[in-house]
Amino acid sequence: MDHDLRIISTLEKVMPRGGMLHARPLRRLTGFRGQRVAFQAAYCFHGEYYVNQTTEQATRNPFARVRVEGDFEGEVRLRRVECVPVLFPCEKKHDSEYIGEAPGLYPDLLTPLEEGVQVVLEQWRALWVDCEIPDDAPGGDRQVELVFTGTDGAELARAGLTLHVVPAALPPQRLLHTEWFYPDCLAQQYGCGVFSERHWEIMERFLRLAAKRGVNMILTPLFTPALDTLIGAERPTTQLVGVEKRGEEYRFDYTNFRRWVRLCKAAGFAYFEMAHLFAQWGAKYPPKVVAQVDGREETIFGWHTPVSEGGYKQFLDAFLPTLLAELRTEGILERTYFHVSDEPTIYNADTYQAALDIVQPHLAGLPIIDALSHLELYEKGIVKKPVPTNDSIHEFLDAGLTDAWVYYCCAQGYKVSNRYIAMPAWRNRVLGVQLYKYRMEGFLHWGYNFWNCQYSLHPIDPYRVNDAEDSFPAGDPFLVYPGRDGAPEESMRLPVLADAMDDVRLLEWLERLTSREFVMDLVEDGGRFELRFDQYPSGPDYLLELWEAAAAEVEKRIAGLPRPLD
């Protein structure tokens, strides 16, 4: 057979030279009303290689048109899985489960499929197939088939699966999920002014995609976020709150802030996190704050105004009460989280504590979360609601942390879940089951669209550079690419992460229908292993089988209810 076509799960990554040959065929997939379910179609050409244009076959590798057949009544979207150059696949300390540890081409980018595909001699490629199940879909089995045909219409290959629809919708997502959003990176990539009408249009597209993929909390740049910026350098100003200084008094303009909040609500965000009120790595400096001073624009706070020299406290004393009033007016105060400074350590606990003392009187009773990995900050009561790394989270849980958050980033590449390009996709998705078991309140990551080099010295081309210029393992800085005309293009890692969020929704639903013990027996295979953040079954089969088993249990139980429990 010249054309080889195989249906496989989204938990595989198809490398050009046989990176999926051991993947088991996917024959059945279960989904719920209103859900997007996905699979891949891996294809390869084993025929003759033509170079002589005088022969009947004029192209060196034949072109195949692709169409969808079957009785699925929802929308089916096809995209190509493109390989991207990866120069920094992993840190020196890594485990054996990466799909590669050498620089090379790795699958990641999902691009629109136009008329068809060029099939390449003895090279595997893949299509990403999304099936959007209608909100009113009847229950039962559907067939979805992909058909490859030649330019003459002759059928070359055919493969498909059974899509089983459960006639109910998954419950709303309880888990809080934030992927930090950078308006300045969008403005730089698309060459538009910050908060110009074009910028607002582009931001809306990227925000809507994030919300559609289970990101339900949005980082809000009150002032230019003091994140990933070289000390003494600046990122482009993305300040939502206008500031006017007259003598020692401040006035605040919330026009852009209100537009942002209403846009994010409309896009699907339920929760807000205010950008950090102090700079990264110890809270020794304020963020950059630009103000109108006697009719001129000035940077009144930043690297040139250490917190220890005063002035910033008076500013926050004036600003924070007005901010809280705005949050109440917009109806989101009860769904807002705050940050002091990102990634404090025990070595700068004194300056972090001093910063906390400034804002605590204003934010009393409101959640303040900060990413960190030093347990001592929690044990000493300095950070009361920490966001530990997933390779240190068990220390915090053992110390009594409840309603916990967790995050990973560039340093969590050994035995724990992450979303590096060189990691297998199931390593990305297993996070969901872990979040369920430990009843996490939220998950945080620092990079939805960080398209700069490290410390934001200059922007990069995300289609060529995915490691912040040899700084972080490829894929850590972003989940989306800046597509043409202001439209986001997804990495395959974003919908896989969204599936992890759906895993949490499904398991929590099943727990309500049965019991905690019943679901954990399913999750840990009758006690045959203990699931931890650093311990879980290898390979895609565990997650695929768990999803199907949990979905079947839910369907069985809702069948006897007077109406489906949505």
Side-chain angles (χ1 to χ4, degrees), residues 32-70:
F32 293 78
R33 286 176 174 167
Q35 187 188 15
R36 172 202 57 84
V37 295
F39 59 90
Q40 292 184 93
Y43 59 92
C44 187
F45 178 57
H46 305 299
E48 295 295 328
Y49 187 76
Y50 295 92
V51 295
N52 186 345
Q53 293 192 21
T54 64
T55 64
E56 207 173 290
Q57 174 70 49
T59 56
R60 293 187 300 172
N61 292 302
F63 183 83
R65 300 188 189 280
V66 185
R67 70 171 185 267
V68 179
E69 293 185 354

Coordinates of all heavy atoms in Angstrom, one line a residue, residues 32-70:
F32 N -18.7 14.7 25.1 CA -20.0 15.2 25.7 C -20.5 16.4 24.9 O -19.8 17.0 24.1 CB -19.7 15.6 27.1 CG -19.4 14.5 28.1 CD1 -18.1 13.9 28.1 CD2 -20.3 14.0 28.9 CE1 -17.8 12.9 28.9 CE2 -20.1 12.9 29.8 CZ -18.8 12.4 29.8
R33 N -21.8 16.7 25.1 CA -22.4 17.8 24.4 C -21.6 19.1 24.6 O -21.1 19.4 25.7 CB -23.8 18.0 24.9 CG -24.8 17.0 24.4 CD -26.1 17.3 25.0 NE -27.2 16.4 24.4 CZ -28.4 16.2 25.0 NH1 -28.7 16.9 26.1 NH2 -29.3 15.4 24.4
G34 N -21.4 19.8 23.5 CA -20.6 21.1 23.6 C -19.1 21.0 23.8 O -18.4 22.0 23.9
Q35 N -18.6 19.7 23.7 CA -17.2 19.5 23.9 C -16.5 19.4 22.6 O -17.0 18.9 21.6 CB -17.0 18.2 24.8 CG -15.5 18.0 25.1 CD -15.3 16.7 25.8 OE1 -16.1 15.8 25.7 NE2 -14.1 16.5 26.4
R36 N -15.2 19.8 22.6 CA -14.3 19.5 21.5 C -13.5 18.3 21.8 O -12.9 18.2 22.8 CB -13.4 20.7 21.2 CG -12.3 20.4 20.2 CD -11.1 21.3 20.4 NE -10.5 21.2 21.8 CZ -9.7 20.3 22.1 NH1 -9.2 19.4 21.3 NH2 -9.2 20.3 23.4
V37 N -13.6 17.3 20.9 CA -12.8 16.1 21.1 C -11.9 16.0 19.9 O -12.2 16.5 18.8 CB -13.6 14.8 21.3 CG1 -14.4 14.8 22.6 CG2 -14.5 14.6 20.1
A38 N -10.7 15.4 20.0 CA -9.8 15.5 18.9 C -9.0 14.2 18.8 O -8.8 13.4 19.8 CB -8.8 16.6 19.1
F39 N -8.5 13.9 17.6 CA -7.6 12.8 17.3 C -6.6 13.3 16.2 O -6.8 14.4 15.7 CB -8.3 11.5 17.0 CG -9.2 11.7 15.8 CD1 -8.7 11.4 14.5 CD2 -10.6 12.0 15.9 CE1 -9.6 11.5 13.4 CE2 -11.4 12.1 14.8 CZ -10.9 11.8 13.5
Q40 N -5.7 12.4 15.9 CA -4.7 12.7 14.8 C -4.9 11.6 13.7 O -5.2 10.5 14.0 CB -3.3 12.7 15.3 CG -3.0 13.9 16.3 CD -1.5 13.9 16.7 OE1 -0.7 14.6 16.0 NE2 -1.2 13.2 17.7
A41 N -4.6 12.0 12.5 CA -4.4 11.1 11.4 C -3.0 11.2 10.9 O -2.6 12.2 10.3 CB -5.4 11.5 10.3
A42 N -2.2 10.1 11.2 CA -0.8 10.1 10.8 C -0.8 9.4 9.4 O -1.5 8.4 9.1 CB 0.0 9.3 11.8
Y43 N 0.0 10.0 8.5 CA 0.1 9.5 7.1 C 1.5 9.5 6.6 O 2.4 10.3 7.1 CB -0.8 10.3 6.2 CG -0.5 11.8 6.2 CD1 0.4 12.3 5.2 CD2 -1.0 12.7 7.1 CE1 0.7 13.7 5.1 CE2 -0.7 14.1 7.0 CZ 0.1 14.5 6.0 OH 0.5 15.9 6.0
C44 N 1.8 8.6 5.7 CA 3.1 8.4 5.1 C 2.9 7.8 3.7 O 2.0 7.2 3.4 CB 3.9 7.5 6.0 SG 5.7 7.4 5.5
F45 N 3.9 8.1 2.9 CA 3.9 7.7 1.5 C 5.0 6.7 1.3 O 6.2 7.0 1.6 CB 4.1 8.8 0.5 CG 4.1 8.5 -0.9 CD1 3.1 7.7 -1.5 CD2 5.2 8.8 -1.7 CE1 3.1 7.4 -2.9 CE2 5.2 8.5 -3.1 CZ 4.2 7.8 -3.6
H46 N 4.7 5.5 0.8 CA 5.7 4.4 0.6 C 6.0 4.1 -0.9 O 6.6 3.1 -1.2 CB 5.3 3.2 1.3 CG 5.0 3.3 2.8 ND1 6.0 3.8 3.7 CD2 3.9 3.1 3.5 CE1 5.4 3.9 4.9 NE2 4.1 3.5 4.8
G47 N 5.5 4.9 -1.8 CA 5.5 4.6 -3.2 C 6.8 5.0 -3.8 O 7.9 5.0 -3.2
E48 N 6.7 5.3 -5.1 CA 7.9 5.7 -5.9 C 8.2 7.1 -5.8 O 7.3 8.0 -5.6 CB 7.7 5.3 -7.4 CG 7.6 3.8 -7.6 CD 8.8 3.0 -7.3 OE1 9.9 3.6 -7.4 OE2 8.7 1.9 -6.8
Y49 N 9.5 7.5 -5.9 CA 9.9 8.8 -5.8 C 10.3 9.3 -7.2 O 11.2 8.8 -7.9 CB 11.2 8.9 -4.9 CG 11.7 10.3 -4.6 CD1 11.0 11.1 -3.7 CD2 12.8 10.8 -5.2 CE1 11.4 12.4 -3.3 CE2 13.2 12.1 -4.8 CZ 12.6 12.9 -3.9 OH 13.0 14.1 -3.6
Y50 N 9.5 10.3 -7.7 CA 9.7 10.7 -9.1 C 10.5 12.0 -9.2 O 10.3 12.9 -8.4 CB 8.3 11.0 -9.7 CG 7.4 9.8 -9.8 CD1 6.5 9.4 -8.8 CD2 7.5 9.0 -10.9 CE1 5.8 8.3 -8.9 CE2 6.7 7.8 -11.0 CZ 5.8 7.5 -10.0 OH 5.0 6.4 -10.1
V51 N 11.4 12.0 -10.1 CA 12.2 13.2 -10.4 C 12.2 13.7 -11.9 O 12.5 14.8 -12.2 CB 13.7 13.0 -10.0 CG1 13.8 12.8 -8.5 CG2 14.3 11.9 -10.7
N52 N 11.7 12.8 -12.7 CA 11.7 13.1 -14.2 C 10.3 13.6 -14.6 O 9.3 13.0 -14.5 CB 12.0 11.8 -14.9 CG 12.1 12.0 -16.4 OD1 11.8 13.1 -16.9 ND2 12.7 11.0 -17.1
Q53 N 10.3 14.9 -15.0 CA 9.0 15.5 -15.3 C 8.4 15.1 -16.6 O 7.3 15.4 -16.9 CB 9.2 17.1 -15.3 CG 9.5 17.6 -13.9 CD 9.4 19.1 -13.9 OE1 8.8 19.7 -14.8 NE2 10.1 19.8 -13.0
T54 N 9.1 14.2 -17.3 CA 8.5 13.6 -18.5 C 7.6 12.4 -18.2 O 6.9 12.0 -19.1 CB 9.6 13.2 -19.5 OG1 10.4 12.1 -18.9 CG2 10.5 14.4 -19.9
T55 N 7.7 12.0 -17.0 CA 6.8 10.8 -16.6 C 5.4 11.4 -16.3 O 5.2 12.6 -16.2 CB 7.4 10.1 -15.4 OG1 7.4 11.0 -14.3 CG2 8.8 9.6 -15.6
E56 N 4.5 10.4 -16.2 CA 3.1 10.8 -15.9 C 3.0 11.5 -14.6 O 2.2 12.4 -14.4 CB 2.3 9.5 -15.9 CG 0.9 9.7 -16.3 CD 0.1 8.4 -16.5 OE1 0.4 7.7 -17.5 OE2 -0.7 8.2 -15.6
Q57 N 3.8 11.1 -13.6 CA 3.7 11.7 -12.3 C 4.7 12.9 -12.3 O 5.9 12.7 -12.3 CB 4.1 10.7 -11.2 CG 4.2 11.3 -9.8 CD 2.9 11.7 -9.2 OE1 2.0 10.9 -9.2 NE2 2.8 12.9 -8.7
A58 N 4.2 14.1 -12.3 CA 5.1 15.3 -12.4 C 5.7 15.7 -11.1 O 6.7 16.4 -11.2 CB 4.3 16.4 -13.1
T59 N 5.0 15.5 -10.0 CA 5.5 16.0 -8.8 C 6.3 14.9 -8.1 O 6.0 13.8 -8.2 CB 4.4 16.5 -7.8 OG1 3.5 15.4 -7.7 CG2 3.7 17.7 -8.4
R60 N 7.4 15.4 -7.3 CA 8.2 14.4 -6.7 C 7.5 13.6 -5.6 O 7.7 12.4 -5.5 CB 9.5 15.1 -6.1 CG 10.4 15.7 -7.2 CD 11.6 16.2 -6.6 NE 11.4 17.3 -5.6 CZ 12.3 17.8 -4.9 NH1 13.5 17.4 -4.9 NH2 12.0 18.8 -4.0
N61 N 6.7 14.3 -4.9 CA 5.9 13.6 -3.8 C 4.4 13.9 -4.1 O 4.1 15.1 -4.3 CB 6.3 14.1 -2.4 CG 7.7 13.6 -2.1 OD1 7.9 12.4 -2.0 ND2 8.6 14.6 -1.8
P62 N 3.6 13.0 -4.2 CA 2.2 13.2 -4.6 C 1.4 14.0 -3.7 O 1.6 14.0 -2.5 CB 1.6 11.8 -4.8 CG 2.5 10.9 -3.9 CD 3.8 11.5 -3.9
F63 N 0.4 14.7 -4.2 CA -0.5 15.6 -3.5 C -1.8 14.8 -3.2 O -2.2 14.1 -4.1 CB -0.8 16.8 -4.3 CG -1.7 17.8 -3.5 CD1 -1.2 18.7 -2.6 CD2 -3.1 17.8 -3.8 CE1 -2.0 19.6 -2.0 CE2 -3.9 18.7 -3.1 CZ -3.3 19.6 -2.2
A64 N -2.3 14.9 -2.0 CA -3.6 14.2 -1.7 C -4.6 15.2 -1.2 O -4.3 16.0 -0.3 CB -3.3 13.1 -0.6
R65 N -5.8 15.1 -1.7 CA -6.9 15.9 -1.1 C -7.5 15.1 0.0 O -7.4 13.9 0.1 CB -7.9 16.1 -2.2 CG -7.4 16.9 -3.4 CD -8.5 17.3 -4.4 NE -8.0 17.8 -5.6 CZ -7.6 19.1 -5.8 NH1 -7.7 19.9 -4.7 NH2 -7.2 19.5 -7.0
V66 N -8.0 15.9 1.0 CA -8.5 15.2 2.2 C -10.0 15.7 2.4 O -10.3 16.9 2.3 CB -7.7 15.6 3.5 CG1 -8.2 14.9 4.7 CG2 -6.2 15.4 3.2
R67 N -10.9 14.7 2.7 CA -12.2 15.0 3.0 C -12.7 14.2 4.2 O -12.1 13.2 4.5 CB -13.1 14.8 1.8 CG -13.4 13.4 1.4 CD -14.5 13.3 0.3 NE -14.8 11.9 0.0 CZ -14.3 11.2 -1.0 NH1 -13.4 11.8 -1.8 NH2 -14.7 9.9 -1.2
V68 N -13.8 14.7 4.8 CA -14.3 14.0 6.0 C -15.7 13.4 5.6 O -16.5 14.0 4.9 CB -14.6 15.0 7.1 CG1 -15.2 14.3 8.3 CG2 -13.3 15.6 7.5
E69 N -15.9 12.1 5.9 CA -17.1 11.4 5.7 C -17.6 10.9 7.0 O -17.0 10.9 8.0 CB -16.9 10.3 4.7 CG -16.6 10.7 3.3 CD -16.6 9.6 2.3 OE1 -16.7 8.4 2.7 OE2 -16.4 9.8 1.1
G70 N -18.9 10.3 7.0 CA -19.5 9.8 8.2 C -20.8 10.5 8.5 O -21.3 11.3 7.8

